[in-house]
Amino acid sequence: MRTMKSRMMFTAVSTAALLALAACAESASGQGPADTAAIDVGHDMKINLKTSPNLKVAVFLPGVANAYGQAQELAAKETAKELGMDMTLFDGGYNPSQQLNQMQTALASGGYDAAVVQALDGTVVCKTITEDYPKANILVVNNVTPLCEYGINQTGKAIDEVWAPGTMNFVGSNNTRAYIDGWFSAAAKANPGKQNVVAVLGPAVAAQTRVIEVALAKFAKDNPDYTINTINTDYTTTGTYNQLQTYLQGHADTTLILSMYTPDISQGVVKAVEDAGLLGKVNIVDQGFGEFSIEQIEAGNIQFSTLFFPYNGIKVSLETIAAAQRGEAGPRFVDDSVIGDAKSPFTITKETISELPDELR
């Protein structure tokens, strides 16, 4: 039986590989006060990070009510224990205001040396994380969702466009323009000609949603035969099902559905399509991969999927903090991919499933 870890989180990038990345470091580190490492976070700011054990680390997640968040929670607990960190996890409850309040409360407590931040809305928490945290000597690693406007302003010309000054680095893959553009390009290649498309996204305020919406505008321009609509969901299976079921009642001519996240959103998508009598008539493409995607790809209900790495993303984020304690700040962008990379996401179809290592299947 597959464990929760092997099924959803795809942990693979080792500390040794992380140190190899550090050899080509673009961010700087040096000597600070005794028992600290001075870490350059941009804008002429340095964090004097404690080098002693039991570093106090806050991990801010959007929520843990879905499989993605649960994978991140597990990674935070297991990796912090392995690294000897004193970790506190904050569940944002998928509420940007609640998450901002958690961040401000943690800041005011004076009890943290470092933080891993996946923001629900990168603009809402921008000042707190990129200005207030470094002023308070708290080292920040930005995970998955870009801060401020660095996500939606991506041009795709450089992979490190997602890095926000005030933080040490950005750890991720699927929220880079390169990754999203790659996903869209694969969908267009697999579905040529005239298409009636609906993109099933997360909440409108979510940073991930905003990044995808920007890329979606280019996708529409590049594919003039496509008619593209969007649906916003709450990331849950039930919420997605209800939203898409209503949509399909008025759009029975839908031919292609882009699901931004599996399993939760994709489960709602497949169920809604099935109940509308359109299974086998509508192509479904998703992101995230996992046991549900494998089942649906093999059944012919999902055309293809690309990978997310929720477990590995948090694992690598905490490992970069541990490396910084040793004075190895590493590059501004750290790819959390286990297979493929941010510039060329691995596309999983019936034909390519066999190429995955056993632990990813």
Side-chain angles (χ1 to χ4, degrees):
M1 180 179 291
R2 231 177 280 122
T3 65
M4 182 179 184
K5 188 187 303 183
S6 64
R7 191 169 61 239
M8 297 187 297
M9 294 52 141
F10 314 128
T11 178
V13 176
S14 66
T15 301
L18 190 61
L19 294 180
L21 278 172
C24 60
E26 296 172 4
S27 56
S29 61
Q31 287 295 110
D35 300 321
T36 68
I39 308 299
D40 177 11
V41 295
H43 285 340
D44 297 321
M45 295 184 289
K46 287 187 181 293
I47 304 297
N48 293 314
L49 183 67
K50 293 179 181 177
T51 57
S52 56
N54 299 314
L55 195 74
K56 296 185 181 301
V57 182
V59 175
F60 296 98
L61 301 180
V64 296
N66 60 20
Y68 190 98
Q70 289 158 13
Q72 291 180 305
E73 180 180 24
L74 182 64
K77 291 177 178 178
E78 292 186 342
T79 307
K81 182 178 180 180
E82 290 171 5
L83 296 174
M85 293 175 174
D86 182 359
M87 188 275 299
T88 303
L89 187 138
F90 294 86
D91 174 1
Y94 307 103
N95 183 321
S97 296
Q98 176 177 314
Q99 187 180 57
L100 174 62
N101 182 63
Q102 290 174 337
M103 292 173 177
Q104 291 173 334
T105 300
L107 174 65
S109 75
Y112 297 97
D113 305 305
V116 175
V117 174
Q118 183 183 352
L120 273 158
D121 187 331
T123 56
V124 169
V125 304
C126 178
K127 180 180 181 298
T128 298
I129 295 302
T130 66
E131 297 181 27
D132 299 341
Y133 268 53
K135 287 178 182 176
N137 200 48
I138 300 173
L139 185 73
V140 175
V141 170
N142 181 196
N143 177 254
V144 179
T145 52
L147 296 167
C148 310
E149 300 293 333
Y150 291 97
I152 61 174
N153 288 340
Q154 292 179 75
T155 65
K157 293 179 180 178
I159 200 72
D160 61 0
E161 289 178 315
V162 288
W163 170 66
T167 68
M168 180 173 73
N169 58 22
F170 179 95
V171 175
S173 55
N174 61 283
N175 266 353
T176 63
R177 273 296 300 273
Y179 182 102
I180 296 167
D181 288 344
W183 182 54
F184 284 151
S185 294
K189 183 177 180 180
N191 298 278
K194 184 177 176 60
Q195 301 288 337
N196 293 317
V197 185
V198 59
V200 186
L201 311 177
V205 298
Q208 294 124 309
T209 301
R210 297 174 67 207
V211 173
I212 291 178
E213 285 175 338
V214 173
L216 198 59
K218 180 180 182 298
F219 179 60
K221 184 177 180 180
D222 290 345
N223 296 277
D225 288 340
Y226 281 26
T227 300
I228 303 175
N229 292 312
T230 61
I231 293 175
N232 292 108
T233 74
D234 59 359
Y235 287 133
T236 68
T237 298
T238 300
T240 300
Y241 172 82
N242 291 336
Q243 292 280 80
L244 186 57
Q245 184 184 50
T246 299
Y247 177 86
L248 291 175
Q249 288 172 357
H251 299 81
D253 60 346
T254 298
T255 59
L256 176 61
I257 298 176
L258 305 172
S259 169
M260 73 167 283
Y261 161 63
T262 194
D264 302 273
I265 288 180
S266 291
Q267 285 175 338
V269 167
V270 171
K271 179 62 175 172
V273 170
E274 182 179 25
D275 287 356
L278 296 175
L279 208 58
K281 301 176 183 178
V282 177
N283 284 329
I284 301 169
V285 169
D286 76 4
Q287 297 183 96
F289 192 62
E291 187 171 358
F292 179 75
S293 292
I294 292 176
E295 294 170 353
Q296 297 303 313
I297 289 171
E298 291 178 340
N301 297 330
I302 289 180
Q303 193 175 31
F304 73 81
S305 183
T306 56
L307 293 151
F308 287 172
F309 307 100
Y311 186 98
N312 205 53
I314 294 298
K315 178 177 183 287
V316 172
S317 294
L318 290 171
E319 287 179 341
T320 65
I321 294 173
Q325 285 188 282
R326 298 189 296 271
E328 300 158 355
R332 293 301 191 192
F333 176 83
V334 180
D335 196 329
D336 68 357
S337 300
V338 175
I339 186 171
D341 57 45
K343 294 181 179 180
S344 302
F346 186 79
T347 301
I348 303 163
T349 65
K350 281 185 178 180
E351 292 71 33
T352 62
I353 283 180
S354 61
E355 298 178 29
L356 293 173
D358 289 341
E359 63 268 21
L360 299 188
R361 285 189 273 152

